[in-house]
Structure formats: C-alpha cells, structure tokens
Amino acid sequence: MLPPKVAASIGHYRFIAFDVETACNLSHSICQVGLACVDHFGQIDTFSLLVNPRCAYSSFNTQLHGIDASKTARAPDFAEVIAKLLPLMQPQPIVQHSTFDQRAVNAAALHYHLPTPPLVWVNSVTIARKAWPEWLGQGGHGLGHLKKGLGLSFNHHDAGEDARAAAQVVLLAEQKLGRPTVEPLVPKALRKPRAD
C-alpha cells in the first residue's frame, strides 16, 4: 500500500502533510487520502490512496474531485487504510490545511469503532497567517488563494496534490519567516518529566 521509498523512510520524515476527499457531506465518508512526506532537506514524497467510503456519493462531491463509486469499489475501507498508514504518520507532526482533515479522520475512526488515531496535528492555515498577514481579508489563506499568491501549481481537490500544496505552504512560510514552524516530535523515551 505504501510506495517503497516511503515505506523505507518511516520515522525519518520531518513532517507529513495530509489531505482527504469525502464522498458526501458526512465527515466520515473519506474516499481518498493524500500524503506529502517532507524530509529534513525539504524534499517531498507524495502519494494518494483511494478509500471505499462504504456509503453513497453525492453528485456535488463527485463533481468537485472526480471520484465516484466505480473508482473506489475495490479500494480498501478506512479501517484498513488507517491501519497501514499509522506507522508512517505517528512519528512526526501531521500538517492539515484547516481542521477538516482531522475531523474527517476522527469521524471515520468513530464510525468504524476504532480509537481516535494518536496523531499530532498542525494547521498550515495558522502558519500561512503568520507568514502572510497582509492576505487576511484580501483573499485569505485557503489553498485556492495561496495557489495564486504563492505561484503554486497543483490540481485542487485531489488529496495528494492538496497535501503537497500544504507542505509547500509550510516550507515557503518557513523561508519567509526565517525559522521552522513545524517542530519535530520528541520520542516518549526522551521527554522530560513534567514538574507538577
């Protein structure tokens, strides 16, 4: 399920940008996931997976992303996909553009009677607002405006492409701010005990 290069690099990425597309207005109806895995040199490994949402598609959503029931009929469902992705996703922060992706993942976990995935989420909209405050009220910090404002090239509403765009937003923001905006996770064994 994971591309060989990504599977060989588990635990060695700095952060992973993550995006989902849904089949309808139900938050748990994930039909595609996209991951953009960013290494410590700023290189990005991107891939996406189709997911069988086990529910009906709305014509609005299909028109938006081009995915319908015929494309996901033989795809694994969320429970199988998240089981394969968690070893990759847990060791580093997960970047999402807004909070929709986290809500969708948590809703899908609940729908499939799974525990909430123990992920550390970072919102790239917040990062973009710090880097380009002048765009507040002038087009905003959604991917559509950032695509134009930053000269990004991607196919909006494809989960892999949107994840890559979110990763690029973070990297460009870090260049502009002159500092990292996504901190690596500290392994539990190395964490200092809290002083109560």
Side-chain angles (χ1 to χ4, degrees), residues 56-76:
Y57 280 78
S58 78
S59 58
F60 174 82
N61 290 52
T62 294
Q63 189 172 14
L64 202 62
H65 50 54
I67 302 169
D68 61 21
S70 68
K71 292 184 178 176
T72 58
R74 295 176 184 257

Side-chain angles (χ1 to χ4, degrees), residues 17 21 26 29 42-43 49 59 65 73 85 98 113 128 130 154 156-157 164 180-181 187 196:
E21 298 298 330
L26 299 172
S29 67
Q43 299 299 308
L49 300 168
S59 58
H65 50 54
L85 291 181
S98 83
H113 307 289
K130 289 176 184 170
F154 65 97
H156 201 11
H157 298 299
R164 185 177 188 82
T181 59
D196 291 327

Side-chain angles (χ1 to χ4, degrees), residues 191-196:
R191 289 180 196 161
K192 292 180 180 177
R194 286 173 47 189
D196 291 327

Side-chain angles (χ1 to χ4, degrees), residues 3 21 40 49 85 93 103-104 106 118-120 132 135 163 167-168 171 175 177 182 190:
E21 298 298 330
H40 294 272
L49 300 168
L85 291 181
R103 286 195 315 270
N106 291 347
L119 302 171
V120 175
W132 302 283
W135 288 340
Q168 290 173 321
L171 294 174
Q175 282 180 18
L177 296 169
V182 179
L190 300 178

Side-chain angles (χ1 to χ4, degrees), residues 6 14 33 54 71 76 98 100 113 153 156 160 174-175:
V6 171
R14 190 175 144 231
V33 297
R54 308 270 185 232
K71 292 184 178 176
S98 83
F100 175 80
H113 307 289
S153 177
H156 201 11
E174 290 179 339
Q175 282 180 18

